[in-house]
Amino acid sequence: MTVPRSRRLLKPLFYVTSATTVTGGALYWANRPRTIRGSDPATVPPPGYGQEGIFRPPRFPQVKSREEQLVDLRRSGGKTLGTQSDWWNSLQELFRDADTTQAEQESAGAEPYDLLVIGGGATGTGIALDAATRGLRVALVEKDDFSSGTSSKSTKLVHGGVRYLEKAVWDLDYNQYKLVREALRERKYFLDTAPHLSKWLPIMLPIDSWWKAPYYWAGTKFYDILAGEENIESSYFLTKSKALDAFPMLKKSDLFGALVYYDGAHNDSRMNVSLAMTAALYGTTVVNHMAVTGLEKDASGKLNGARVKDLVPEMNGKASAEFTIKAKGIINATGPFTDAIRKMDDQHVDEIVAPSSGVHVVLPGYYSPSDMGLIDPSTSDGRVIFFLPWQGNTIAGTTDAPTEITANPIAGESEIQWILSEIRTYLTPDINVRRGDVLSAWSGIRPLVRDPKAKNTESLVRNHLIDVSSSGLLTCAGGKWTTYRQMAEEAVDAALSTFHLTSSPIATAPDVSGTTMVDDGATLDGSCQTHQVKLLGAHGFSKTLFINLIQHFGVDTDVAKHLTESYGDRAWTVAALCSPTDARFPVRGLRVSPLYPFVDGEVRYAVRHEYAQTAVDVLARRTRLAFLNAQAAQEALPLVIDLMGEELGWDARRREHEWKGAVAFLESMGLPKGKLGLSRRDVERGRMGEWADEEYKLYSRHDGPADELESDAKEETRNPVIGEDSPANK
């Protein structure tokens, strides 16, 4: 039987139409118009001029002073005296009847908190903000400073983890897959709640063989699909020439092409401080440099408070008495120091933290493009290494090795050399990767944890752990920066159940935006809402806010961009705190270091509005100078100490104490050993370059001007400017 001509044509036409539809749909999905998170216009427009032609700056709400916060802490234990009466509190302790009952203490004015959070890192401040926005009465204490530990020493990425996804697929590991999905969701919330502190970053994955291209292409496309609508742009392939154009520092040999995918990046310690300050605005009592010396239990053996000691008076050479904070529930969020708090509860408890050291080095900005990162998924020992632009420099890391727990671990020389050797393998040999180019190097302790209730207590949990002891100590440990908010939500959920607390709507939410245009309490119904609670500085931020700052205050362009990307709309306050320069331009802003856009107004703002108490608080966590360049931080130290001394009334003894403490800290940031013994006078006289170190012979610093420098005229067997493997040195 003969098939009609029309029917013979119908099947091919169907196939062509279907293929065209599928292809067109795929192309539209990949290139569809999308709202780029972090690029939205400001929720609150910038301030302007009123009808009288008078400029009206924002009026932001203020957090309580540190002294007021201390009074609130003491009140929880029945003490209502301020910090100036520590001696009288101590005298009262000596004569207090040991048989005083709990009822008698409560009648003396005790106001216990619902929750006491120990630890001011990402997890602790995240928990405090979550609990406060659910209507709970919360206190948070931190022995050192917010983000003084692991939370300031991350790779600065907000990511789901391409490598984790690869493991999930090959190992058929559903839990690993869930981790990636969770992290990708949380990545979106970073950009929603803190657009000034986080951004999208394209990351290049170099490919050395043609057959790897389909493999990595499939992996990055799967990553895109998991991100869904939250992704900014689909991953894409670059030919060899395009890859070299985007990343000219790459080695040309053994390069077939590259794939580029998108992830998030952020300023970790600024994010941490913003979490703490936002929690303070929502009513949390937040105090740093407050050490927990013991835990308190009631007659039934349940925890009901903690003994603490303010460390700031001791820095000023004064005595400081312990006092008690009363709380219905206590949460341990101390990262690597988790077991130290657990042993205050039960000294016989098994340790659960398996500390791992992650070393990073910072190199000059010319080592990488300013807007493109790089990942090497196959290093010499199988670890992953990132190579990322950060704050005008380049950050490379990380390592992963067992370590001991210390407050300020020092990056080992062997780990630094390993990172440099890996960098040499994918950068062009024309670039001489020199040890002296390392501007800073630090080691962060990642608190991997074991589940004490698991059958195999030696195996590490893949994500984070929430554990409650028999006496009621709730421990939240493990995890990573990207999932801090999810960890906090689960911890507060557990606290509500464990401690029989009741959340409630926020009837009078603080006006975080500084205007009446936004009702920050509109969604605070007692449930977790931190996925949409904007952090301090987010409401008035936009990509063009820096222009408003330049036009009003006359600050340098790079300073204005830095301030808006570090403080959001609070940059108005920071710029107003900057000193006039008495120059034609810039009009305001005395630079703390001539190499970076940090200015004097940031030091004053840190003291007045962010509870900075030491020079290290400013150099390492409020600004990032110590992480970017250890020697520049040492050079800036005298000015920072003097500015803080003016704000806090430091005497000569305290200023000397700050100098010694900051230099000791900078050793953990990679400050060369030869610079550790320099006095403040040496630095102020500009003598830092007189001591031989890794940087001393890097540059032609010892010759006068000439057509040919004397040192260059000497016979050399190789060109010292380029790498040993370059053809020019063969």
Side-chain angles (χ1 to χ4, degrees):
M1 181 177 176
T2 305
V3 179
R5 179 182 179 85
S6 59
R7 292 184 61 185
R8 290 201 308 268
L9 294 175
L10 191 59
K11 185 179 291 188
L13 181 61
F14 171 77
Y15 289 148
V16 171
T17 303
S18 299
T20 302
T21 302
V22 172
T23 303
L27 289 173
Y28 174 79
W29 183 87
N31 299 282
R32 67 196 184 283
R34 277 173 276 189
T35 300
I36 299 176
R37 296 186 181 275
S39 298
D40 300 326
T43 306
V44 176
Y49 292 85
Q51 293 180 349
E52 304 84 5
I54 300 174
F55 181 77
R56 302 187 182 281
R59 297 287 190 270
F60 297 118
Q62 305 295 311
V63 297
K64 290 183 177 181
S65 69
R66 190 172 189 275
E67 288 71 25
E68 291 172 319
Q69 300 278 39
L70 287 170
V71 170
D72 288 344
L73 284 182
R74 287 186 168 87
R75 186 179 293 119
S76 74
K79 295 182 179 181
T80 57
L81 297 179
T83 56
Q84 300 301 319
S85 302
D86 277 347
W87 64 273
W88 179 244
N89 285 334
S90 300
L91 193 62
Q92 284 182 315
E93 293 284 354
L94 291 175
F95 294 100
R96 174 175 290 170
D97 185 359
D99 295 325
T100 300
T101 65
Q102 182 176 355
E104 289 173 333
Q105 290 186 35
E106 290 176 350
S107 65
E111 300 177 14
Y113 290 96
D114 291 322
L115 290 176
L116 169 62
V117 182
I118 305 173
T123 305
T125 54
I127 291 171
L129 178 60
D130 189 307
T133 53
R134 297 201 211 187
L136 300 179
R137 189 163 180 265
V138 187
L140 180 147
V141 294
E142 161 61 44
K143 181 178 181 179
D144 196 332
D145 185 30
F146 313 118
S147 200
S148 58
T150 306
S151 296
S152 63
K153 299 174 180 178
S154 71
T155 311
K156 323 304 177 192
L157 284 177
V158 184
H159 63 134
V162 172
R163 187 63 180 269
Y164 299 140
L165 180 60
E166 182 183 30
K167 290 181 179 179
V169 172
W170 283 110
D171 297 341
L172 298 178
D173 189 334
Y174 182 67
N175 289 327
Q176 194 85 261
Y177 167 81
K178 285 202 311 183
L179 281 178
V180 176
R181 285 296 303 270
E182 176 184 297
L184 288 173
R185 183 187 67 248
E186 294 300 319
R187 184 182 69 174
K188 161 198 165 187
Y189 296 146
F190 264 81
L191 292 159
D192 287 343
T193 60
H196 55 302
L197 295 171
S198 50
K199 64 179 182 179
W200 290 101
L201 179 68
I203 299 177
M204 180 180 290
L205 198 165
I207 300 172
D208 57 7
S209 301
W210 68 267
W211 59 268
K212 292 183 180 180
Y215 174 76
Y216 287 126
W217 181 88
T220 55
K221 286 301 176 187
F222 191 19
Y223 198 61
D224 294 341
I225 293 170
L226 287 182
E229 290 297 325
E230 283 73 44
N231 207 24
I232 180 177
E233 187 173 332
S234 297
S235 56
Y236 55 90
F237 176 77
L238 291 176
T239 62
K240 178 178 181 178
S241 59
K242 290 290 186 181
L244 290 172
D245 183 57
F247 208 117
M249 304 82 179
L250 278 179
K251 183 169 60 176
K252 299 176 180 62
S253 59
D254 299 324
L255 181 66
F256 173 76
L259 275 159
V260 177
Y261 70 96
Y262 285 79
D263 249 326
H266 76 138
N267 187 337
D268 51 9
S269 73
R270 287 294 323 160
M271 181 78 177
N272 200 155
V273 171
S274 294
L275 284 167
M277 295 303 104
T278 307
L281 281 179
Y282 278 96
T284 301
T285 303
V286 177
V287 181
N288 56 351
H289 299 286
M290 178 71 67
V292 173
T293 59
L295 300 179
E296 297 280 322
K297 297 180 180 180
D298 61 19
S300 65
K302 294 293 184 180
L303 291 173
N304 66 354
R307 297 188 304 278
V308 297
K309 184 178 182 180
D310 186 6
L311 302 181
V312 172
E314 294 182 348
M315 299 178 192
N316 292 319
K318 300 176 182 178
S320 178
E322 291 185 4
F323 63 93
T324 299
I325 304 172
K326 290 295 183 181
K328 299 172 185 175
I330 299 178
I331 298 180
N332 174 16
T334 52
F337 304 97
T338 292
D339 287 323
I341 300 298
R342 293 176 72 243
K343 289 186 176 182
M344 289 183 184
D345 175 41
D346 178 1
Q347 61 181 343
H348 302 296
V349 73
D350 292 331
E351 295 185 353
I352 62 172
V353 174
S356 175
S357 169
V359 171
H360 295 81
V361 302
V362 171
L363 298 163
Y366 55 72
Y367 269 87
S368 69
S370 62
D371 57 355
M372 177 78 74
L374 184 141
I375 179 175
D376 181 2
S378 54
T379 59
S380 59
D381 62 1
R383 289 180 286 187
V384 172
I385 191 169
F386 285 97
F387 196 64
L388 309 167
W390 182 64
Q391 301 280 308
N393 285 353
T394 301
I395 183 173
T398 178
T399 60
D400 185 8
T403 187
E404 297 294 324
I405 297 176
T406 56
N408 293 308
I410 297 176
E413 185 61 30
S414 61
E415 295 168 297
I416 295 173
Q417 291 295 346
W418 179 82
I419 293 174
L420 295 179
S421 67
E422 293 300 324
I423 291 172
R424 293 186 185 101
T425 63
Y426 54 78
L427 292 189
T428 174
D430 292 343
I431 297 176
N432 188 12
V433 180
R434 308 177 295 186
R435 176 62 177 86
D437 283 338
V438 176
L439 303 176
S440 68
W442 71 85
S443 172
I445 301 177
R446 183 184 177 194
L448 304 174
V449 291
R450 308 178 185 92
D451 186 350
K453 295 181 174 63
K455 292 182 179 179
N456 180 8
T457 57
E458 290 302 312
S459 60
L460 301 176
V461 299
R462 296 183 181 277
N463 191 2
H464 60 272
L465 169 74
I466 294 176
D467 177 68
V468 182
S469 72
S470 59
S471 61
L473 178 64
L474 194 155
T475 295
C476 183
K480 60 180 182 177
W481 239 118
T482 306
T483 57
Y484 87 90
R485 194 209 64 82
Q486 180 66 32
M487 294 169 61
E489 179 179 349
E490 294 179 15
V492 176
D493 287 344
L496 290 172
S497 173
T498 302
F499 306 128
H500 309 293
L501 303 173
T502 303
S503 61
S504 60
I506 304 292
T508 55
D511 185 15
V512 181
S513 69
T515 72
T516 58
M517 301 176 64
V518 178
D519 182 1
D520 289 295
T523 61
L524 301 181
D525 57 3
S527 63
C528 177
Q529 295 295 326
T530 48
H531 60 288
Q532 53 185 342
V533 172
K534 289 186 179 295
L535 299 188
L536 179 148
H539 293 82
F541 171 76
S542 70
K543 296 287 188 181
T544 58
L545 179 61
F546 76 96
I547 298 174
N548 302 108
L549 252 64
I550 296 171
Q551 292 179 336
H552 183 68
F553 292 105
V555 294
D556 276 327
T557 300
D558 62 333
V559 170
K561 287 184 176 180
H562 156 68
L563 293 182
T564 57
E565 291 171 1
S566 298
Y567 302 90
D569 56 24
R570 266 49 176 187
W572 289 102
T573 304
V574 180
L577 287 170
C578 290
S579 301
T581 63
D582 297 327
R584 187 189 65 80
F585 199 89
V587 178
R588 304 186 76 89
L590 173 64
R591 290 185 186 244
V592 171
S593 167
L595 303 175
Y596 297 94
F598 306 117
V599 287
D600 60 329
E602 295 181 77
V603 182
R604 298 187 182 95
Y605 184 85
V607 173
R608 297 184 188 185
H609 303 286
E610 293 182 337
Y611 301 141
Q613 296 296 308
T614 70
V616 173
D617 292 351
V618 170
L619 287 172
R621 272 88 63 173
R622 304 311 185 282
T623 71
R624 307 313 309 274
L625 185 56
F627 281 81
L628 290 167
N629 192 320
Q631 295 195 59
Q634 188 179 26
E635 291 172 324
L637 188 53
L639 176 59
V640 170
I641 290 175
D642 287 345
L643 289 171
M644 294 188 73
E646 292 173 4
E647 293 289 321
L648 295 170
W650 288 347
D651 57 18
R653 179 196 169 282
R654 175 64 191 272
R655 297 186 190 214
E656 180 63 19
H657 172 85
E658 286 300 313
W659 173 266
K660 292 179 179 178
V663 171
F665 171 81
L666 289 175
E667 181 181 11
S668 71
M669 290 287 105
L671 185 69
K673 288 181 170 53
K675 305 296 174 66
L676 295 174
L678 296 182
S679 67
R680 172 171 174 162
R681 183 179 292 273
D682 290 332
V683 173
E684 289 177 325
R685 290 180 175 179
R687 301 184 64 191
M688 285 193 67
E690 297 181 11
W691 279 264
D693 57 18
E694 293 89 346
E695 192 183 51
Y696 187 70
K697 296 182 179 180
L698 289 186
Y699 310 103
S700 301
R701 69 172 75 239
H702 309 291
D703 299 296
D707 289 344
E708 183 177 4
L709 299 182
E710 182 180 353
S711 58
D712 292 340
K714 296 178 181 179
E715 183 178 353
E716 289 279 355
T717 58
R718 55 176 294 273
N719 189 336
V721 178
I722 58 179
E724 294 183 6
D725 295 332
S726 172
N729 276 324
K730 299 297 182 182

